[in-house]
């Protein structure tokens, strides 16, 4: 499955590749067009891999929170988990908990490397999800290559845990806040999968 909103990128890459392939066939005197066509094929293949959006069976539960992104945890501070997405990761983001979106705030900014602490000033999209345990903030942060954050959800949408909420094109980062009713169960350096990896579990003294 291909990520929603990626069709124009794939169509452009495939069209340009096909155009150069036709020109290289018709113009034997310009062999460099063959190389351009091969580069186009490689680029199209990369686009297909990058924009993949595999189906995942999500086990919905109030007993835990799941990762909103594929990637590696680069920091945990002040009950916020920061996940860096490398180019090879799936870049579609998912709801870590069930609830209602009460606010979506887009902020313009720079394009520093997303793993830097200064990336707090980067372009970003902030979701506030109202859950039964309080507000959960999910922040999509653009990186040095990324130039657009794509949102699939709207304010007042009711989300089910694991539902797709958007994607960030190319290298980027996702931060998620953890309510005090949960214990964080992951650590810095750990690899996580959106909709699959449990990142926090409900505290023993809390009924759910």
């Amino acid at each position: 499955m291909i990520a929603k909103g990626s069709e124009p990128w794939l169509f452009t890459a495939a069209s340009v590749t096909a155009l150069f392939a036709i020109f290289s066939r018709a113009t034997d005197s310009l062999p460099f067009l063959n190389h351009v066509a091969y580069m186009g094929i490689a680029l199209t293949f990369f686009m297909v891999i990058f924009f993949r959006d595999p189906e995942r069976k999500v086990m919905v539960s109030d007993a835990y929170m799941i990762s909103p992104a594929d990637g590696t945890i680069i920091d945990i501070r002040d009950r916020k988990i920061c996940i860096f997405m490398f180019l090879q990761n799936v870049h579609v983001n998912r709801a870590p908990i069930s609830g209602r979106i009460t606010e979506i705030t887009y902020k313009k900014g720079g394009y520093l490397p997303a793993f830097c602490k200064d990336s707090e000033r980067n372009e970003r999209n902030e979701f506030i999800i109202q859950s039964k345990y309080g507000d959960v903030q999910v922040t999509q942060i653009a990186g040095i290559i990324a130039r657009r954050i794509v949102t699939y959800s709207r304010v007042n949408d009711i989300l089910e845990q694991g539902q797709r909420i958007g994607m960030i094109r190319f290298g980027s980062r996702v931060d998620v806040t953890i309510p005090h009713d949960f214990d964080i169960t992951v650590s810095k350096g750990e690899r996580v999968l959106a909709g699959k990896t449990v990142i926090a579990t409900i505290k023993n003294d809390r009924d759910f």
Side-chain angles (χ1 to χ4, degrees):
M1 183 175 177
I2 299 299
K4 178 181 175 183
S6 63
E7 295 86 353
W9 290 72
L10 292 172
F11 177 78
T12 300
S15 298
V16 171
T17 298
L19 187 62
F20 277 108
I22 292 171
F23 283 159
S24 79
R25 287 276 187 174
T27 314
D28 293 334
S29 60
L30 296 174
F32 79 91
L33 289 177
N34 278 325
H35 299 293
V36 176
Y38 288 135
M39 291 175 61
I41 292 172
L43 177 62
T44 302
F45 179 74
F46 167 77
M47 290 286 188
V48 171
I49 295 298
F50 176 80
F51 286 120
R52 70 193 186 282
D53 182 14
E55 289 293 340
R56 290 178 179 168
K57 185 177 181 180
V58 179
M59 303 299 293
V60 178
S61 174
D62 286 334
Y64 52 73
M65 293 178 63
I66 55 178
S67 176
D70 284 21
T72 301
I73 297 175
I74 58 171
D75 199 8
I76 300 176
R77 62 180 186 274
D78 300 326
R79 301 197 65 78
K80 179 169 70 175
I81 298 175
C82 307
I83 304 167
F84 182 76
M85 296 186 290
F86 293 91
L87 287 176
Q88 72 271 21
N89 293 128
V90 174
H91 276 58
V92 174
N93 306 138
R94 296 173 180 263
I97 195 169
S98 298
R100 181 176 67 90
I101 296 178
T102 58
E103 185 178 342
I104 300 176
T105 304
Y106 172 78
K107 297 181 180 179
K108 294 182 179 180
Y111 294 97
L112 295 169
F115 53 80
C116 294
K117 291 186 177 180
D118 287 340
S119 65
E120 298 290 341
R121 296 177 296 188
N122 279 15
E123 177 191 5
R124 66 189 48 238
N125 205 38
E126 297 175 352
F127 292 85
I128 302 297
I129 302 174
Q130 185 183 62
S131 75
K132 64 189 296 183
Y133 303 110
D135 288 347
V136 172
Q137 181 173 308
V138 179
T139 306
Q140 299 171 297
I141 304 173
I144 192 170
I145 300 176
R147 286 298 182 271
R148 183 164 181 205
I149 298 173
V150 182
T151 304
Y152 297 164
S153 304
R154 297 181 179 180
V155 173
N156 291 323
D157 280 358
I158 304 299
L159 298 176
E160 184 176 80
Q161 189 178 46
Q163 182 176 330
R164 297 171 178 86
I165 59 174
M167 75 170 295
I168 317 174
R169 291 177 179 150
F170 308 110
S172 41
R173 176 178 133 192
V174 175
D175 294 351
V176 56
T177 60
I178 308 298
H180 288 281
D181 290 300
F182 292 85
D183 290 319
I184 295 174
T185 57
V186 289
S187 57
K188 186 175 179 180
E190 187 172 339
R191 293 183 180 180
V192 293
L193 291 176
K196 302 296 289 185
T197 304
V198 174
I199 58 175
T201 56
I202 198 73
K203 291 182 178 179
N204 292 330
D205 60 352
R206 177 69 190 244
D207 295 327
F208 57 86

